[in-house]
Amino acid sequence: MTRHKKFKKMQLPKAFTGAKEFILQRVAGMIVLVVFIIFSWVLITAFLERSDYFMLRSVEARGAPEISLISIRSDLLRHYKGNNIFKINLTAIAKSLELRHPDAKDIIVNRALPDKLLVELNFRSPVAILSNGLSFPIDREGVILVSRDPARLGGLPVIKGVNPKYAGKLHKKNESKNLEAALKLLDEIKKARFLDKYGVRTLDASDIKSLSFDLGEDGPMIIIGYENLKERLSVLRDTLRDPRLVLDKINYIDIRFKDAAISPK
């Protein structure tokens, strides 16, 4: 007769058994935690979206003339009052306000818990008038301010020789290097300070290499170009300090070179 061998049942070491139980406990704990998080999220979302506590009741707007702020507040409340603030499309509101306020550089709409919207408008400031038959107020970035009346902006320098179609408008950036150079020159003139007593009324940016401005009301033309503006303005400052200089008898001063070239009338 054939004898059958008896095999003993293999037993895992106690260390492996303990590790298995530990892993199962951790997995079970993770599952419970995930279920708890999902359940909590559902409850919180339902509370935020359905509770009357978060229904829109007021709008705060700032950064524009009071008449515009009143209009913004009344319009938003008329359309959204009583709506849950988490369901209100803030991006759509900002875009609609951009159409009504094209000269605003930034329009930011935020929620203020529990029941308010905050609207912040940041408007562009005119720094010069772009003139090419018609007059267009522009800001430091060369963007035309379509809502500003140039007739009410007396005292701003006038930039000539640039086609307005290349200037910025609404969301379109300035594409004119000549206009960019003229605005950069205005910045450097403002920093230099010594030209404040003369005043800069007109800049000619038709040829960027011969970028120029008029010194005062009836003063000479200053040809400066578009490079090394700070250094060239220093040359002009030293030139104007010469007591022998009679501005009324000078046609132009060219400061594009190391030594200023002065042309009499």
Side-chain angles (χ1 to χ4, degrees):
M1 294 179 64
T2 304
R3 292 184 178 181
H4 296 281
K5 294 183 179 181
K6 294 183 179 180
F7 295 95
K8 293 183 178 180
K9 188 176 181 181
M10 185 176 180
Q11 293 183 347
L12 293 173
K14 291 183 178 180
F16 285 98
T17 303
K20 179 181 178 181
E21 292 178 355
F22 175 77
I23 293 173
L24 290 175
Q25 289 176 358
R26 292 297 298 271
V27 171
M30 290 295 293
I31 293 174
V32 171
L33 179 61
V34 170
V35 172
F36 174 76
I37 292 174
I38 294 174
F39 183 69
S40 300
W41 175 256
V42 171
L43 289 179
I44 293 173
T45 301
F47 171 71
L48 294 177
E49 293 184 351
R50 297 179 183 178
S51 173
D52 291 342
Y53 188 64
F54 298 105
M55 297 302 177
L56 180 66
R57 293 180 176 85
S58 64
V59 174
E60 180 180 340
R62 50 179 178 254
E66 185 59 29
I67 187 171
S68 297
L69 298 180
I70 293 173
S71 175
I72 291 172
R73 288 192 291 263
S74 62
D75 287 349
L76 291 181
L77 286 174
R78 184 171 66 254
H79 286 92
Y80 298 103
K81 187 175 182 179
N83 289 10
N84 184 281
I85 63 171
F86 295 104
K87 293 184 177 181
I88 296 175
N89 191 329
L90 304 186
T91 302
I93 292 176
K95 288 187 178 298
S96 67
L97 290 175
E98 287 176 358
L99 296 176
R100 292 169 54 184
H101 303 279
D103 291 345
K105 183 177 181 180
D106 300 300
I107 297 180
I108 303 171
V109 183
N110 286 317
R111 300 179 182 91
L113 298 180
D115 57 4
K116 182 190 292 186
L117 290 182
L118 297 178
V119 181
E120 183 79 30
L121 297 94
N122 179 22
F123 282 86
R124 297 178 181 273
S125 299
V127 298
I129 302 295
L130 182 60
S131 178
N132 189 18
L134 297 176
S135 296
F136 305 91
I138 57 174
D139 77 336
R140 175 58 191 84
E141 297 177 353
V143 175
I144 293 176
L145 309 182
V146 296
S147 299
R148 301 299 295 268
D149 183 1
R152 298 184 178 182
L153 298 173
L156 290 180
V158 176
I159 299 176
K160 297 181 178 181
V162 177
N163 193 326
K165 74 176 183 179
Y166 296 115
K169 190 175 182 181
L170 298 178
H171 298 294
K172 174 177 168 288
K173 294 183 178 180
N174 168 49
E175 298 175 353
S176 171
K177 292 184 178 180
N178 292 37
L179 179 55
E180 182 180 352
L183 291 169
K184 184 178 180 181
L185 174 57
L186 283 177
D187 280 347
E188 292 298 331
I189 289 174
K190 186 176 181 180
K191 293 177 185 177
R193 302 291 296 273
F194 73 92
L195 290 174
D196 290 351
K197 63 180 180 180
Y198 300 99
V200 175
R201 299 286 183 264
T202 306
L203 294 88
D204 187 347
S206 55
D207 182 357
I208 193 172
K209 294 181 179 180
S210 301
L211 179 63
S212 64
F213 61 91
D214 293 335
L215 192 63
E217 194 70 35
D218 299 310
M221 177 175 62
I222 309 299
I223 305 174
I224 188 171
Y226 69 100
E227 298 176 311
N228 305 318
L229 297 177
K230 186 175 181 180
E231 292 78 4
R232 292 177 181 181
L233 286 173
S234 295
V235 173
L236 178 61
R237 181 180 59 240
D238 295 339
T239 302
L240 294 176
R241 286 174 176 171
D242 190 337
R244 298 169 298 175
L245 200 67
V246 181
L247 295 180
D248 293 341
K249 296 182 179 181
I250 296 176
N251 185 27
Y252 68 81
I253 302 175
D254 192 338
I255 53 174
R256 292 175 293 175
F257 312 101
K258 184 177 180 180
D259 297 319
I262 301 175
S263 174
K265 290 183 178 179

